[in-house]
PDB file of all heavy atoms in Angstrom:
ATOM      1  N   PRO Y 121      -8.448   9.196   9.675  1.00  0.00           N
ATOM      2  CA  PRO Y 121      -8.283   8.637  11.018  1.00  0.00           C
ATOM      3  C   PRO Y 121      -6.866   8.179  11.361  1.00  0.00           C
ATOM      4  O   PRO Y 121      -6.565   7.915  12.524  1.00  0.00           O
ATOM      5  CB  PRO Y 121      -9.218   7.425  10.996  1.00  0.00           C
ATOM      6  CG  PRO Y 121      -9.282   7.024   9.564  1.00  0.00           C
ATOM      7  CD  PRO Y 121      -9.146   8.290   8.764  1.00  0.00           C
ATOM      8  N   LEU Y 146      -3.116  13.769  16.146  1.00  0.00           N
ATOM      9  CA  LEU Y 146      -3.787  12.633  15.520  1.00  0.00           C
ATOM     10  C   LEU Y 146      -3.421  12.448  14.049  1.00  0.00           C
ATOM     11  O   LEU Y 146      -3.967  11.594  13.381  1.00  0.00           O
ATOM     12  CB  LEU Y 146      -5.311  12.772  15.663  1.00  0.00           C
ATOM     13  CG  LEU Y 146      -5.862  12.617  17.080  1.00  0.00           C
ATOM     14  CD1 LEU Y 146      -7.365  12.834  17.097  1.00  0.00           C
ATOM     15  CD2 LEU Y 146      -5.531  11.250  17.653  1.00  0.00           C
ATOM     16  N   GLY Y 197      -7.065  15.637  12.505  1.00  0.00           N
ATOM     17  CA  GLY Y 197      -7.404  14.222  12.439  1.00  0.00           C
ATOM     18  C   GLY Y 197      -8.861  14.057  12.019  1.00  0.00           C
ATOM     19  O   GLY Y 197      -9.716  14.870  12.380  1.00  0.00           O
ATOM     20  N   GLY Y 198      -9.147  13.033  11.232  1.00  0.00           N
ATOM     21  CA  GLY Y 198     -10.527  12.746  10.832  1.00  0.00           C
ATOM     22  C   GLY Y 198     -11.094  13.844   9.961  1.00  0.00           C
ATOM     23  O   GLY Y 198     -10.483  14.262   8.975  1.00  0.00           O
ATOM     24  N   ASP Y 199     -12.263  14.335  10.325  1.00  0.00           N
ATOM     25  CA  ASP Y 199     -12.929  15.427   9.617  1.00  0.00           C
ATOM     26  C   ASP Y 199     -12.843  16.684  10.492  1.00  0.00           C
ATOM     27  O   ASP Y 199     -13.045  16.603  11.698  1.00  0.00           O
ATOM     28  CB  ASP Y 199     -14.399  15.049   9.366  1.00  0.00           C
ATOM     29  CG  ASP Y 199     -15.113  16.141   8.602  1.00  0.00           C
ATOM     30  OD1 ASP Y 199     -15.650  17.079   9.246  1.00  0.00           O
ATOM     31  OD2 ASP Y 199     -15.111  16.088   7.364  1.00  0.00           O
ATOM     32  N   VAL Y 202     -15.945  17.415  12.797  1.00  0.00           N
ATOM     33  CA  VAL Y 202     -16.456  16.413  13.739  1.00  0.00           C
ATOM     34  C   VAL Y 202     -15.557  16.447  14.968  1.00  0.00           C
ATOM     35  O   VAL Y 202     -14.436  15.930  14.958  1.00  0.00           O
ATOM     36  CB  VAL Y 202     -16.464  14.995  13.114  1.00  0.00           C
ATOM     37  CG1 VAL Y 202     -16.942  13.955  14.134  1.00  0.00           C
ATOM     38  CG2 VAL Y 202     -17.347  14.964  11.878  1.00  0.00           C
ATOM     39  N   PHE Y 203     -16.009  17.068  16.021  1.00  0.00           N
ATOM     40  CA  PHE Y 203     -15.246  17.235  17.261  1.00  0.00           C
ATOM     41  C   PHE Y 203     -13.809  17.676  17.009  1.00  0.00           C
ATOM     42  O   PHE Y 203     -12.897  17.251  17.707  1.00  0.00           O
ATOM     43  CB  PHE Y 203     -15.255  15.952  18.098  1.00  0.00           C
ATOM     44  CG  PHE Y 203     -16.631  15.521  18.495  1.00  0.00           C
ATOM     45  CD1 PHE Y 203     -17.069  14.229  18.253  1.00  0.00           C
ATOM     46  CD2 PHE Y 203     -17.497  16.410  19.107  1.00  0.00           C
ATOM     47  CE1 PHE Y 203     -18.351  13.826  18.617  1.00  0.00           C
ATOM     48  CE2 PHE Y 203     -18.772  16.022  19.474  1.00  0.00           C
ATOM     49  CZ  PHE Y 203     -19.200  14.728  19.227  1.00  0.00           C
ATOM     50  N   GLY Y 204     -13.608  18.482  16.013  1.00  0.00           N
ATOM     51  CA  GLY Y 204     -12.243  18.869  15.680  1.00  0.00           C
ATOM     52  C   GLY Y 204     -11.977  20.343  15.931  1.00  0.00           C
ATOM     53  O   GLY Y 204     -10.907  20.834  15.644  1.00  0.00           O
ATOM     54  N   SER Y 227     -13.893  10.724   8.640  1.00  0.00           N
ATOM     55  CA  SER Y 227     -13.975  10.805  10.100  1.00  0.00           C
ATOM     56  C   SER Y 227     -13.801   9.429  10.718  1.00  0.00           C
ATOM     57  O   SER Y 227     -14.204   8.410  10.149  1.00  0.00           O
ATOM     58  CB  SER Y 227     -15.325  11.377  10.524  1.00  0.00           C
ATOM     59  OG  SER Y 227     -15.424  11.334  11.929  1.00  0.00           O
ATOM     60  N   SER Y 228     -13.248   9.415  11.904  1.00  0.00           N
ATOM     61  CA  SER Y 228     -13.082   8.140  12.613  1.00  0.00           C
ATOM     62  C   SER Y 228     -14.436   7.538  12.993  1.00  0.00           C
ATOM     63  O   SER Y 228     -14.509   6.352  13.290  1.00  0.00           O
ATOM     64  CB  SER Y 228     -12.213   8.333  13.851  1.00  0.00           C
ATOM     65  OG  SER Y 228     -12.790   9.240  14.741  1.00  0.00           O
ATOM     66  N   VAL Y 229     -15.504   8.336  12.939  1.00  0.00           N
ATOM     67  CA  VAL Y 229     -16.796   7.831  13.421  1.00  0.00           C
ATOM     68  C   VAL Y 229     -17.223   6.541  12.735  1.00  0.00           C
ATOM     69  O   VAL Y 229     -17.731   5.626  13.387  1.00  0.00           O
ATOM     70  CB  VAL Y 229     -17.904   8.913  13.341  1.00  0.00           C
ATOM     71  CG1 VAL Y 229     -18.268   9.280  11.926  1.00  0.00           C
ATOM     72  CG2 VAL Y 229     -19.138   8.457  14.081  1.00  0.00           C
ATOM     73  N   VAL Y 232     -13.130   4.074  11.931  1.00  0.00           N
ATOM     74  CA  VAL Y 232     -12.458   3.325  13.001  1.00  0.00           C
ATOM     75  C   VAL Y 232     -13.231   2.050  13.363  1.00  0.00           C
ATOM     76  O   VAL Y 232     -12.633   0.971  13.415  1.00  0.00           O
ATOM     77  CB  VAL Y 232     -12.151   4.254  14.206  1.00  0.00           C
ATOM     78  CG1 VAL Y 232     -11.784   3.469  15.448  1.00  0.00           C
ATOM     79  CG2 VAL Y 232     -11.040   5.220  13.813  1.00  0.00           C
ATOM     80  N   PHE Y 275     -16.706   9.339  21.289  1.00  0.00           N
ATOM     81  CA  PHE Y 275     -15.365   9.876  21.085  1.00  0.00           C
ATOM     82  C   PHE Y 275     -14.749  10.234  22.432  1.00  0.00           C
ATOM     83  O   PHE Y 275     -15.457  10.562  23.374  1.00  0.00           O
ATOM     84  CB  PHE Y 275     -15.443  11.180  20.268  1.00  0.00           C
ATOM     85  CG  PHE Y 275     -15.730  10.979  18.815  1.00  0.00           C
ATOM     86  CD1 PHE Y 275     -16.964  10.547  18.397  1.00  0.00           C
ATOM     87  CD2 PHE Y 275     -14.763  11.233  17.859  1.00  0.00           C
ATOM     88  CE1 PHE Y 275     -17.246  10.378  17.051  1.00  0.00           C
ATOM     89  CE2 PHE Y 275     -15.021  11.072  16.507  1.00  0.00           C
ATOM     90  CZ  PHE Y 275     -16.255  10.645  16.104  1.00  0.00           C
ATOM     91  N   MET Y 276     -13.420  10.238  22.450  1.00  0.00           N
ATOM     92  CA  MET Y 276     -12.671  10.715  23.611  1.00  0.00           C
ATOM     93  C   MET Y 276     -13.100  10.022  24.889  1.00  0.00           C
ATOM     94  O   MET Y 276     -13.149  10.638  25.949  1.00  0.00           O
ATOM     95  CB  MET Y 276     -12.806  12.237  23.738  1.00  0.00           C
ATOM     96  CG  MET Y 276     -12.186  12.953  22.559  1.00  0.00           C
ATOM     97  SD  MET Y 276     -12.403  14.715  22.568  1.00  0.00           S
ATOM     98  CE  MET Y 276     -13.885  14.884  21.596  1.00  0.00           C
ATOM     99  N   ALA Y 277     -13.443   8.748  24.756  1.00  0.00           N
ATOM    100  CA  ALA Y 277     -13.946   8.015  25.916  1.00  0.00           C
ATOM    101  C   ALA Y 277     -12.799   7.383  26.698  1.00  0.00           C
ATOM    102  O   ALA Y 277     -12.999   6.918  27.814  1.00  0.00           O
ATOM    103  CB  ALA Y 277     -14.927   6.945  25.467  1.00  0.00           C
ATOM    104  N   VAL Y 302     -11.865   0.670  20.361  1.00  0.00           N
ATOM    105  CA  VAL Y 302     -10.867   0.605  19.285  1.00  0.00           C
ATOM    106  C   VAL Y 302      -9.823   1.677  19.559  1.00  0.00           C
ATOM    107  O   VAL Y 302     -10.137   2.868  19.612  1.00  0.00           O
ATOM    108  CB  VAL Y 302     -11.494   0.827  17.894  1.00  0.00           C
ATOM    109  CG1 VAL Y 302     -10.474   0.540  16.803  1.00  0.00           C
ATOM    110  CG2 VAL Y 302     -12.750  -0.021  17.713  1.00  0.00           C
ATOM    111  N   GLU Y 303      -8.613   1.216  19.753  1.00  0.00           N
ATOM    112  CA  GLU Y 303      -7.507   2.138  20.019  1.00  0.00           C
ATOM    113  C   GLU Y 303      -6.717   2.334  18.727  1.00  0.00           C
ATOM    114  O   GLU Y 303      -6.387   1.358  18.046  1.00  0.00           O
ATOM    115  CB  GLU Y 303      -6.600   1.534  21.096  1.00  0.00           C
ATOM    116  CG  GLU Y 303      -5.363   2.339  21.418  1.00  0.00           C
ATOM    117  CD  GLU Y 303      -4.372   1.553  22.265  1.00  0.00           C
ATOM    118  OE1 GLU Y 303      -3.946   0.455  21.852  1.00  0.00           O
ATOM    119  OE2 GLU Y 303      -4.027   2.016  23.353  1.00  0.00           O
ATOM    120  N   ALA Y 304      -6.427   3.581  18.401  1.00  0.00           N
ATOM    121  CA  ALA Y 304      -5.597   3.902  17.226  1.00  0.00           C
ATOM    122  C   ALA Y 304      -6.080   3.186  15.957  1.00  0.00           C
ATOM    123  O   ALA Y 304      -5.283   2.575  15.232  1.00  0.00           O
ATOM    124  CB  ALA Y 304      -4.136   3.585  17.499  1.00  0.00           C
ATOM    125  N   GLY Y 305      -7.376   3.286  15.714  1.00  0.00           N
ATOM    126  CA  GLY Y 305      -7.954   2.628  14.540  1.00  0.00           C
ATOM    127  C   GLY Y 305      -7.285   3.064  13.247  1.00  0.00           C
ATOM    128  O   GLY Y 305      -7.032   4.264  13.051  1.00  0.00           O
ATOM    129  N   TRP Y 307      -4.307   2.755  12.400  1.00  0.00           N
ATOM    130  CA  TRP Y 307      -2.858   2.936  12.565  1.00  0.00           C
ATOM    131  C   TRP Y 307      -2.215   1.543  12.626  1.00  0.00           C
ATOM    132  O   TRP Y 307      -2.898   0.549  12.886  1.00  0.00           O
ATOM    133  CB  TRP Y 307      -2.523   3.688  13.860  1.00  0.00           C
ATOM    134  CG  TRP Y 307      -2.885   5.147  13.855  1.00  0.00           C
ATOM    135  CD1 TRP Y 307      -4.143   5.673  13.821  1.00  0.00           C
ATOM    136  CD2 TRP Y 307      -1.989   6.265  13.905  1.00  0.00           C
ATOM    137  NE1 TRP Y 307      -4.076   7.054  13.842  1.00  0.00           N
ATOM    138  CE2 TRP Y 307      -2.770   7.439  13.904  1.00  0.00           C
ATOM    139  CE3 TRP Y 307      -0.591   6.386  13.958  1.00  0.00           C
ATOM    140  CZ2 TRP Y 307      -2.206   8.719  13.943  1.00  0.00           C
ATOM    141  CZ3 TRP Y 307      -0.041   7.661  14.011  1.00  0.00           C
ATOM    142  CH2 TRP Y 307      -0.838   8.815  13.992  1.00  0.00           C
ATOM    143  N   SER Y 331      -5.110   6.879  24.343  1.00  0.00           N
ATOM    144  CA  SER Y 331      -5.744   7.751  23.355  1.00  0.00           C
ATOM    145  C   SER Y 331      -4.956   7.669  22.031  1.00  0.00           C
ATOM    146  O   SER Y 331      -3.731   7.522  22.079  1.00  0.00           O
ATOM    147  CB  SER Y 331      -5.718   9.165  23.904  1.00  0.00           C
ATOM    148  OG  SER Y 331      -6.161  10.067  22.948  1.00  0.00           O
ATOM    149  N   PRO Y 332      -5.575   7.762  20.878  1.00  0.00           N
ATOM    150  CA  PRO Y 332      -7.003   7.953  20.650  1.00  0.00           C
ATOM    151  C   PRO Y 332      -7.763   6.623  20.700  1.00  0.00           C
ATOM    152  O   PRO Y 332      -7.274   5.614  20.206  1.00  0.00           O
ATOM    153  CB  PRO Y 332      -7.058   8.540  19.236  1.00  0.00           C
ATOM    154  CG  PRO Y 332      -5.894   7.911  18.535  1.00  0.00           C
ATOM    155  CD  PRO Y 332      -4.834   7.745  19.585  1.00  0.00           C
ATOM    156  N   ALA Y 333      -8.926   6.655  21.301  1.00  0.00           N
ATOM    157  CA  ALA Y 333      -9.752   5.453  21.347  1.00  0.00           C
ATOM    158  C   ALA Y 333     -11.221   5.830  21.213  1.00  0.00           C
ATOM    159  O   ALA Y 333     -11.649   6.894  21.672  1.00  0.00           O
ATOM    160  CB  ALA Y 333      -9.513   4.711  22.649  1.00  0.00           C
ATOM    161  N   LEU Y 334     -11.950   4.943  20.577  1.00  0.00           N
ATOM    162  CA  LEU Y 334     -13.398   5.131  20.398  1.00  0.00           C
ATOM    163  C   LEU Y 334     -14.123   3.983  21.092  1.00  0.00           C
ATOM    164  O   LEU Y 334     -13.674   2.839  21.016  1.00  0.00           O
ATOM    165  CB  LEU Y 334     -13.763   5.012  18.930  1.00  0.00           C
ATOM    166  CG  LEU Y 334     -13.780   6.191  17.986  1.00  0.00           C
ATOM    167  CD1 LEU Y 334     -14.388   5.756  16.672  1.00  0.00           C
ATOM    168  CD2 LEU Y 334     -14.579   7.346  18.556  1.00  0.00           C
TER     169      LEU Y 334
HETATM  170  N1  SAH R 515     -12.160  15.130  13.914  1.00  0.00           N
HETATM  171  C1  SAH R 515     -11.893  13.779  14.376  1.00  0.00           C
HETATM  172  C2  SAH R 515     -12.207  13.602  15.849  1.00  0.00           C
HETATM  173  C3  SAH R 515     -11.350  14.467  16.738  1.00  0.00           C
HETATM  174  S1  SAH R 515     -11.711  14.271  18.435  1.00  0.00           S
HETATM  175  C4  SAH R 515     -12.665  12.786  13.476  1.00  0.00           C
HETATM  176  O1  SAH R 515     -13.483  13.193  12.666  1.00  0.00           O
HETATM  177  O2  SAH R 515     -12.395  11.598  13.571  1.00  0.00           O
HETATM  178  C5  SAH R 515     -10.511  13.107  18.913  1.00  0.00           C
HETATM  179  C6  SAH R 515     -11.163  11.776  19.236  1.00  0.00           C
HETATM  180  O3  SAH R 515     -11.495  11.107  18.029  1.00  0.00           O
HETATM  181  C7  SAH R 515     -10.252  10.803  19.971  1.00  0.00           C
HETATM  182  O4  SAH R 515     -10.228  11.040  21.339  1.00  0.00           O
HETATM  183  C8  SAH R 515     -10.914   9.483  19.640  1.00  0.00           C
HETATM  184  O5  SAH R 515     -12.049   9.269  20.424  1.00  0.00           O
HETATM  185  C9  SAH R 515     -11.358   9.717  18.206  1.00  0.00           C
HETATM  186  N2  SAH R 515     -10.381   9.219  17.232  1.00  0.00           N
HETATM  187  C10 SAH R 515      -9.803   9.914  16.243  1.00  0.00           C
HETATM  188  N3  SAH R 515      -8.985   9.137  15.523  1.00  0.00           N
HETATM  189  C11 SAH R 515      -9.050   7.904  16.057  1.00  0.00           C
HETATM  190  C12 SAH R 515      -8.433   6.650  15.758  1.00  0.00           C
HETATM  191  N4  SAH R 515      -7.581   6.529  14.741  1.00  0.00           N
HETATM  192  N5  SAH R 515      -8.743   5.589  16.526  1.00  0.00           N
HETATM  193  C13 SAH R 515      -9.615   5.698  17.547  1.00  0.00           C
HETATM  194  N6  SAH R 515     -10.217   6.854  17.885  1.00  0.00           N
HETATM  195  C14 SAH R 515      -9.944   7.941  17.147  1.00  0.00           C
END
Side-chain angles (χ1 to χ4, degrees):
L146 291 178
D199 182 272
V202 178
F203 300 128
S227 175
S228 61
V229 68
V232 166
F275 286 70
M276 296 176 267
V302 189
E303 176 192 56
W307 289 67
S331 173
L334 270 189

